[in-house]
Amino acid sequence: MSFVTTSDGTQIFYKDWGTGRPVVLSHGWPLNSDSWEAQQLFLAENGYRVIAHDRRGHGKSTQTWHGNEMDTYAADLAAVIDHLDLRDVTLVGFSTGGGEITRYIGNYGTARVAQAVLVSAVPPLMLKTDDNPGGVPIDVFDGLRAGSLADRSQLYKDLADGPFFGNNRDGVTIAQGPRDAFWLQGMASGHRNAYESIAAFSATDFRGDLAKFDVPTLVIHGDDDQVVPFEVGGKASAALVKGAELKVYAGGPHGITDTHKEQLNNDLLAFLNSYNA
C-alpha cells in the first residue's frame, strides 16, 4: 500500500491509478477514498492519472489525535501533491473534500493547479452566522455531534438511509449497497477524527480562500441536497469564484457521486478535456 508521511509523522494513504495529467480527489465526511472509486476508475480509463487519498483519521490513514481541521487537511493534501511532484493538477473535492481543496488553494496557491472542481461542497460557509444569515443553524451540527457521541454507527446508518442519498424522498429508492458502503466507510474513521471534523466542515469560513481561485473552476451541486443546501453551497461558491461554471443536478441529493455517477463522470471528463496546457 502507498503512504505519504507528513511533517508530524501522520501516514496518509493514497491510491494512484492510471497515467496522464493528474487528478486528485478529496473525499467527504465520514468517508474515505473508496467513495470515489467510480470516478477514479472512469477517469483513469479515460487517460488521466487519478490519485485519491484518505484524509487523516479516515480509512487507512493514521487516526491522529490532533489536526482534525482544515488547515491541517490542506497541509496533508499538499504533502501528497509535493511527494508525488504533481503539476497541472485538477483538484476535485466532494463535500468536506471541497473545503480541503479550497483551503489548499487559499494557503498554497495554484502553482501546481490547473483546474478545480467543487462537488456538493461545503464552501463558502455552512454555518449560519450574523454575516451568513442563510446558513444552516448550529443546532443541526450539534445534533450530529450528539448523535456521534451517543451511537455513531446508528447515526451513519440514518444518514445513509435518509438525507445523504435522498432515500427519504417520495418515489426515491436507493439500493442497499451504497448505503452499506457509506456506513462501512464511516465506521473505518476514527471516532475523535470524525467528531472533530463536524466543526471543520460546518464552521470553517472559506470565503477568503475562494477569492484566491484563479484557475478554471467547475461547481456541481444537486438542487435537492439536504446536507449542504444548494443555496448555501454550490450557488454561493460559484458566485464567489470569477468565471466559475455552475452545473445544477435537478433533484440531485448530496451523494451524487453514487446517485448520478454517469452524469458526474461525463461532466468531470468533459471539464478535464477542456484544459489546454
Side-chain angles (χ1 to χ4, degrees), residues 8 13 40 62 78 88 112 116 120 151-152 159 167 170 188 192-193 198 245 255 268 276-277:
D8 69 354
F13 170 77
Q40 189 170 16
T62 307
D88 289 328
R112 292 179 177 266
S120 305
D151 186 345
R152 74 183 187 120
L159 288 170
N167 198 49
D170 289 342
R192 176 180 168 93
N193 305 104
I198 296 169
E245 179 185 2
L268 290 175
N276 294 311

Side-chain angles (χ1 to χ4, degrees), residues 183-206:
W183 174 85
L184 182 65
Q185 290 176 46
M187 292 308 295
S189 68
H191 194 356
R192 176 180 168 93
N193 305 104
Y195 179 84
E196 291 197 335
S197 190
I198 296 169
F201 72 68
S202 66
T204 302
D205 188 342
F206 299 100

